[in-house]
Amino acid sequence: MRDIADGLTDWRTRGVAFAVATVVRTWQSAPRPPGAAMAVSADGEALGSISGGCVEAAVYDLCRTALATGTAHTATYGVSDDDAFDVGLTCGGTIQVLVQPDVALTEPDEVLAAIRDGRPVATATMENAQLVIWPDRIAGSLGAPDLDDAAARQAAGMLALGTTGTLHLGRQGEQRGDDVSVFVQSYVPPPRMIIFGAIDFAAAMARMGTFLGYHVTVCDARPVFATRSRFPAADDLVVQWPHKYLESTTIDDRTVLCVLTHDPKFDVPLLQVALLTPARYIGVMGSRRAHDDRMRRLREAGVGEGALARLCSPIGLDLGARTPEETAVAIAAEITARAWGGSGRPLSELDTPIHHAA
């Protein structure tokens, strides 16, 4: 939904009706995760994707039907379907899709505004019924007060963690029930990528970070280099000593830190601070000689081996990268592998599942 929020907002502003198809469950090697969304307007325009092309035509027709009837419904596509070769997933996976007309959505304008602004919000959905959960209030209903309370309570916890998934509850909200399935989708601010060192590799990495959906900050103590003309893709530019900035900003366990400064007077104090944060990834650029010198300096500064083991240094996977753009791909590949437990090896050499569990 985040990817199509601007388009949906435009349709709402112009009074154009639409239906939204959302992936609510997947099995095996499904091409898109739960939460992937596609929308079709009353004018026939389509936004987004739910399968990378495998079943879009069939889902397009379902959206048109939902618009005509004003009711929501679910459909499942996969290799077990009789028409698998016509509209099924050629990749071998199975997806369950929930299709809703806009009249079945609760406070869509407020939800879209929160998504666009990066404010946390979650939706809990059962076909023609929907709850919306903000940190400070709840709107809508799933049809029964006790079910609303149970779903809202669990959805609030999922929102705090930024997770999306399906709740299985009794019809009156019983925790051990399995009568109803409620799909909860959390929208939280995008994760942060902070790039230290305003060099040409940082410009390429900023573009890559934006492409991957991060909120990108570039920080450098030298104002002549940290300029908007050099970093048009960055969301924020900060002119400050890196370690001072890192001490003053918010870092969580989704944050990615890319240290590209190449200079011990920046690197060492910065890494001393970085290794005290819960950042998910801390990568440091430099040659193997620079890496050895950096590790020596950090040990002399009292940094323990456990903390040093968190460093991805030298930064990136071994792709043979040379240009800034190629290097950005290598760094992004390492970040992705670390996030999902990937090996970094060619899939052609493996027989493990293509899509890893979170």
Side-chain angles (χ1 to χ4, degrees):
M1 185 74 80
R2 188 187 304 278
D3 295 338
I4 62 175
D6 288 341
L8 296 182
T9 300
D10 177 62
W11 289 347
R12 292 285 299 175
T13 301
R14 294 191 287 117
V16 178
F18 59 87
V20 178
T22 306
V23 176
V24 296
R25 191 177 179 186
T26 65
W27 296 264
Q28 299 177 332
S29 298
R32 298 294 304 278
M38 170 183 170
V40 177
S41 74
D43 298 332
E45 184 181 357
L47 298 171
S49 171
I50 52 129
S51 73
C54 302
V55 300
E56 259 70 7
V59 173
Y60 181 93
D61 291 338
L62 288 179
C63 287
R64 299 285 286 179
T65 299
L67 277 167
T69 63
T71 59
H73 50 272
T74 59
T76 302
Y77 299 98
V79 294
S80 61
D81 294 340
D82 293 336
D83 58 348
F85 291 104
D86 294 328
V87 298
L89 300 176
T90 57
C91 63
T94 304
I95 62 173
Q96 186 177 68
V97 179
L98 169 64
V99 180
Q100 298 169 283
D102 55 355
V103 294
L105 303 177
T106 299
E107 300 197 13
D109 295 326
E110 291 79 358
V111 172
L112 288 170
I115 294 172
R116 293 195 318 273
D117 297 343
R119 291 180 282 114
V121 64
T123 56
T125 305
M126 291 173 50
E127 289 204 351
N128 289 296
Q130 187 176 67
L131 277 176
V132 178
I133 300 93
W134 286 272
D136 59 348
R137 69 184 181 96
I138 299 169
S141 175
L142 298 178
D146 290 340
L147 178 58
D148 291 345
D149 291 343
R153 187 165 53 250
Q154 293 197 42
M158 295 173 70
L159 177 60
L161 295 172
T163 58
T164 289
T166 300
L167 303 177
H168 299 283
L169 300 167
R171 296 189 183 280
Q172 300 301 319
E174 298 91 341
Q175 297 298 317
R176 297 192 178 190
D178 196 22
D179 299 315
V180 298
S181 297
V182 181
F183 178 68
V184 177
Q185 186 161 12
S186 297
Y187 303 96
V188 294
R192 299 188 69 192
M193 174 181 287
I194 308 178
I195 303 168
F196 297 97
I199 61 175
D200 50 355
F201 288 91
M205 196 63 228
R207 294 193 296 272
M208 178 61 72
T210 298
F211 175 72
L212 292 176
Y214 286 91
H215 182 98
V216 178
T217 299
V218 175
C219 174
D220 197 296
R222 302 163 298 179
V224 68
F225 295 116
T227 64
R228 179 54 63 185
S229 62
R230 298 187 70 228
F231 295 94
D235 296 289
D236 302 310
L237 282 174
V238 176
V239 179
Q240 192 173 354
W241 275 81
H243 71 285
K244 292 293 186 182
Y245 173 67
L246 193 59
E247 288 173 337
S248 66
T249 194
T250 301
I251 305 297
D252 62 23
D253 58 6
R254 299 190 302 150
T255 303
V256 165
L257 305 178
C258 298
V259 180
L260 314 182
T261 43
H262 283 103
D263 190 332
K265 71 174 179 289
F266 293 116
D267 289 359
V268 173
L270 170 60
L271 292 173
Q272 287 179 268
V273 176
L275 290 169
L276 296 176
T277 72
R280 186 180 73 197
Y281 174 89
I282 305 172
V284 194
M285 180 174 279
S287 66
R288 296 197 182 279
R289 175 185 292 182
H291 165 76
D292 291 341
D293 177 68
R294 184 186 303 122
M295 297 292 276
R296 177 184 60 79
R297 292 172 182 267
L298 288 169
R299 289 187 179 100
E300 290 176 352
V303 179
E305 296 301 319
L308 293 176
R310 295 180 60 199
L311 294 178
C312 293
S313 174
I315 197 170
L317 295 187
D318 177 20
L319 304 184
R322 292 181 178 272
T323 68
E325 290 73 19
E326 291 173 344
T327 302
V329 171
I331 297 170
E334 183 174 52
I335 292 170
T336 303
R338 288 286 180 123
W340 295 100
S343 68
R345 294 172 56 196
L347 287 170
S348 60
E349 296 179 359
L350 303 171
D351 58 6
T352 55
I354 293 175
H355 301 290
H356 290 236

